[in-house]
Amino acid sequence: AQNLPKSILQVVARDDDHGLNGQLTYTIVDGNAEEAFTLTPNGLLSLIMNLDRETSAQFALTVIATDAGSPVLTGTGTITLIVDDVNDNIPTFAFKTYHATIPEDVSTGTDVLLVNATDVDEGSNAVISYSLVGGNSQFSINPSTGQIITSALLNRENKEMYSFVVVATDGGIPQAMSSSATVFLTVSDINDNPPRFRHFPYVTHIPAPTNAGSFVFAVTVSDDDEGPNAKLQYSLTGINVEKFQIDPSRGAIMAAQRLTEDTDITVTVNVKDSGIYPMSDSTTVTVRFGNETDFPQISVGQQS
């Protein structure tokens, strides 16, 4: 805002006549539709309304000079006024929030997201620089282009979600203006963790005999990945594989035939995930037999 009214310039026209024939009065006849300017009869042009360069950056005022002679003679001139910019507009982001997903195995310096802000001012008042607030030092931004990149290696198993603030600051002098937007970044899983059996080897005890279809043992496996990369498939191998069967999705081992052995039986258990490039692990389960009477008996009572 300016102190109004504000004198801008003195309009002067030349008339070589003398006396009344050379006495001039001035009038604006075009270009002042907003009535932002006044012109006194003696030619003093003043501003009486605050201007907005972003709405109208230039005015062309048509002025007529009229003498006091008889007959009256006139002359026409154009005054062009250019409105200087002041830093009265903040940078504006295209979106208040941005969302992006990036795989956890990307290298340092990988492009993540391009943010963009605009400023309707001009010159240095419209030159925008970008900076980040937050991000755990995992990300950085090009101050000129708004390109966000990784500045460290990522690991989804350590941190899956990031949020940080991007600040856009203009080059206004003496007072810069700024605005911000929030970035939400999801780190997607890569199959970089193999499934792991909790123990190696396993030993279990079952009664002799054990009938076909009886539960023998259940292995436990962990996989720090997610989705298909953590979906597990179980199988058995080894010389005793025909004596057992395993649930391929749960890892529960059952007797495939009546077991009457009095010596230990060892079978190899394999697990692999369902990633595009599967990772696997294996262990052994040793089955030892004992007298049926050594095992607790479960009975169901009846109430009348």
Side-chain angles (χ1 to χ4, degrees):
Q2 304 182 56
N3 294 324
L4 300 176
K6 179 181 177 64
S7 299
I8 299 175
L9 57 83
Q10 176 67 50
V11 179
V12 177
R14 176 181 172 182
D15 191 323
D16 291 334
D17 291 324
H18 299 282
L20 292 176
N21 295 333
Q23 183 178 325
L24 303 178
T25 58
Y26 301 91
T27 309
I28 299 174
V29 294
D30 193 26
N32 193 28
E34 300 176 12
E35 298 184 349
F37 305 94
T38 61
L39 183 63
T40 63
N42 64 357
L44 180 62
L45 182 67
S46 299
L47 175 68
I48 60 172
M49 180 186 300
N50 286 318
L51 303 178
D52 183 3
R53 187 203 63 84
E54 289 72 42
T55 301
S56 298
Q58 181 173 299
F59 293 86
L61 304 179
T62 302
V63 176
I64 288 182
T66 304
D67 65 24
S70 180
V72 173
L73 298 177
T74 63
T76 302
T78 300
I79 301 172
T80 300
L81 301 172
I82 297 174
V83 182
D84 286 338
D85 186 53
V86 294
N87 194 28
D88 57 349
N89 293 278
I90 65 172
T92 303
F93 282 95
F95 305 97
K96 292 302 293 181
T97 59
Y98 292 83
H99 298 266
T101 300
I102 188 169
E104 63 175 319
D105 65 340
V106 297
S107 58
T108 300
T110 297
D111 290 347
V112 176
L113 177 69
L114 180 66
V115 298
N116 181 58
T118 56
D119 193 315
V120 295
D121 291 318
E122 68 175 2
S124 62
N125 295 332
V127 176
I128 297 174
S129 61
Y130 300 91
S131 60
L132 290 186
V133 178
N136 296 72
S137 301
Q138 299 291 110
F139 306 94
S140 58
I141 191 168
N142 185 309
S144 300
T145 65
Q147 178 68 61
I148 300 172
I149 64 172
T150 58
S151 54
L153 296 177
L154 304 175
N155 187 339
R156 186 203 64 84
E157 289 73 38
N158 291 339
K159 189 172 178 61
E160 184 177 5
M161 296 291 299
Y162 291 88
S163 64
F164 46 86
V165 174
V166 181
V167 178
T169 305
D170 64 30
I173 298 174
Q175 183 64 48
M177 303 185 76
S178 64
S179 64
S180 64
T182 303
V183 175
F184 296 96
L185 182 64
T186 301
V187 181
S188 61
D189 187 53
I190 295 296
N191 194 23
D192 57 350
N193 292 281
R196 293 296 187 195
F197 285 99
R198 298 287 177 86
H199 301 284
F200 183 92
Y202 291 95
V203 177
T204 188
H205 296 77
I206 62 173
T210 290
N211 293 324
S214 298
F215 175 79
V216 175
F217 190 69
V219 294
T220 54
V221 177
S222 63
D223 191 319
D224 292 334
D225 293 317
E226 67 175 4
N229 297 330
K231 184 179 180 181
L232 304 179
Q233 305 172 52
Y234 298 88
S235 62
L236 299 175
T237 56
I239 58 175
N240 297 305
V241 67
E242 74 283 352
K243 297 178 181 180
F244 303 96
Q245 58 188 17
I246 190 169
D247 185 309
S249 60
R250 296 188 301 169
I253 301 172
M254 315 293 286
Q257 57 185 247
R258 181 177 171 85
L259 302 176
T260 59
E261 278 81 0
D262 54 7
T263 59
D264 296 350
I265 302 176
T266 298
V267 67
T268 299
V269 183
N270 308 292
V271 64
K272 67 176 181 179
D273 59 37
S274 301
I276 297 176
Y277 302 102
M279 305 184 79
S280 62
D281 193 17
S282 62
T283 189
T284 60
V285 175
T286 297
V287 179
R288 292 178 178 171
F289 295 90
N291 294 324
E292 189 171 1
T293 56
D294 294 337
F295 292 82
Q297 303 295 314
I298 300 175
S299 60
V300 179
Q302 292 184 345
Q303 291 182 336
S304 57

